[in-house]
């Protein structure tokens, strides 16, 4: 059965800290790995990763995919209180139709 | 350019009742997917609609049904509500040729079943 696992499930850090969020997956016919940020309701897209070893960056956020290890990490440097959110990892699989499987999310709290 | 919209924002229903949730996709999008997100969990795929037909379905019982209209908007219907149906229901829209990785989410409908 297709599965996406995230760790840790929750994390509390102080402003300025660097955090690393982990995602691992077992999916048939992998197509891409996606990271989302969910602050209140609607998840907002952060990154899409398809190739192994290539880092995607956006400001203080970066992510990399390891297809050999079936995993990905999301790094946030110099955290701010505005980074407090749930970070969702999802994997898109290509079967007869494409489908997206989400992990449980990591709840990040950044305290001043 | 309006994004994905959903209505209502919040809803409280009693066990056994029926509910209808609505979604308007982002302008230009032709595919709508529905997800259920229980508290503390990631979104779980319910089903996807394209060309007014259910294209694929997740592991949800037949109590969950949907519809897509010619203008691409969609409804999610849940019959015989259970306490466990309490969740945030998210709608996401996309273009069929881009795949679900390019989907945009709406703000969700928070359903509480008492």
């Amino acid at each position: 059965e297709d599965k996406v696992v995230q760790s840790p499930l929750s994390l509390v850090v102080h402003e300025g800290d660097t955090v690393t969020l982990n995602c691992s997956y077992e999916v048939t016919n992998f197509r891409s790995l996606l990271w989302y940020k969910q602050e209140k309701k609607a998840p907002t897209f952060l990154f899409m990763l398809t190739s192994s070893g290539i880092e995607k960056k956006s400001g203080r956020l970066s992510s990399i995919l390891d297809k050999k290890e079936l995993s990905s990490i999301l790094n946030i440097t110099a955290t701010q209180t505005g980074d407090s959110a749930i970070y969702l990892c999802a994997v898109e699989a290509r079967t007869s139709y494409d489908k997206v499987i989400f992990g449980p999310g990591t709840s990040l709290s950044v305290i001043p | 350019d309006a994004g994905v919209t959903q209505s209502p924002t919040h809803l409280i229903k009693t066990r056994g009742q029926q509910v209808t949730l609505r979604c308007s996709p982002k302008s230009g999008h032709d595919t709508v997917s529905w997800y259920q997100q229980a508290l503390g969990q990631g979104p779980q795929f319910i089903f996807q609609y394209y060309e007014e037909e259910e294209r694929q379905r997740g592991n949800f019982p037949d109590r969950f049904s949907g519809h897509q209209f010619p203008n691409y908007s969609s409804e999610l219907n849940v019959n015989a509500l259970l306490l466990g149906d309490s969740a945030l229901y998210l709608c996401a829209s996309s273009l069929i040729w881009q795949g679900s990785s390019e989907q945009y989410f709406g703000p969700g409908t928070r359903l509480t079943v008492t």
Side-chain angles (χ1 to χ4, degrees):
Chain A
E1 183 182 344
D2 295 334
K3 186 170 61 175
V4 177
V5 176
Q6 293 185 245
S7 65
L9 293 181
S10 66
L11 191 56
V12 180
V13 301
H14 287 93
E15 267 191 317
D17 287 351
T18 293
V19 298
T20 298
L21 310 183
N22 302 287
C23 175
S24 61
Y25 60 90
E26 293 178 25
V27 170
T28 305
N29 295 322
F30 172 91
R31 186 184 184 201
S32 66
L33 186 142
L34 310 162
W35 284 99
Y36 292 87
K37 179 181 182 182
Q38 186 176 27
E39 290 181 83
K40 289 182 180 178
K41 287 189 175 180
T44 54
F45 172 81
L46 293 175
F47 298 113
M48 181 172 74
L49 303 156
T50 56
S51 301
S52 198
I54 297 176
E55 186 180 34
K56 291 275 185 92
K57 292 194 73 171
S58 177
R60 297 176 292 102
L61 276 66
S62 64
S63 183
I64 194 163
L65 174 66
D66 187 335
K67 291 174 78 172
K68 187 177 180 182
E69 296 296 327
L70 307 183
S71 65
S72 174
I73 60 171
L74 175 68
N75 283 315
I76 308 175
T77 59
T79 51
Q80 303 171 357
T81 55
D83 295 326
S84 296
I86 296 171
Y87 290 84
L88 295 166
C89 174
V91 173
E92 185 185 20
R94 174 62 66 82
T95 53
S96 301
Y97 305 102
D98 58 290
K99 62 176 181 177
V100 176
I101 305 106
F102 281 85
T106 293
S107 177
L108 173 65
S109 297
V110 181
I111 54 177
Chain B
D1 179 21
V4 181
T5 60
Q6 291 186 243
S7 64
T9 306
H10 296 90
L11 203 52
I12 299 175
K13 288 288 189 177
T14 303
R15 197 169 37 179
Q17 285 188 316
Q18 179 264 343
V19 68
T20 297
L21 311 182
R22 295 176 176 82
C23 171
S24 291
K26 179 178 167 63
S27 178
H29 282 184
D30 55 13
T31 303
V32 173
S33 301
W34 286 92
Y35 293 84
Q36 180 195 66
Q37 186 175 20
L39 201 61
Q41 297 183 21
Q44 300 295 311
F45 176 75
I46 303 174
F47 42 52
Q48 183 183 78
Y49 276 84
Y50 170 67
E51 290 190 334
E52 302 179 49
E53 291 195 359
E54 184 181 292
R55 189 165 173 260
Q56 57 174 319
R57 188 180 184 93
N59 294 325
F60 279 80
D62 292 344
R63 299 187 297 110
F64 290 77
S65 64
H67 189 77
Q68 186 180 35
F69 299 94
N71 67 353
Y72 307 115
S73 66
S74 177
E75 288 182 350
L76 164 65
N77 300 293
V78 187
N79 293 323
L81 284 167
L82 304 172
L83 295 179
D85 295 331
S86 295
L88 179 68
Y89 287 85
L90 294 165
C91 166
S93 73
S94 58
L95 282 166
I96 192 67
W97 62 270
Q98 288 185 328
S100 296
S101 60
E102 303 284 340
Q103 60 188 347
Y104 289 76
F105 284 88
T109 293
R110 172 74 63 187
L111 172 64
T112 302
V113 182
T114 62

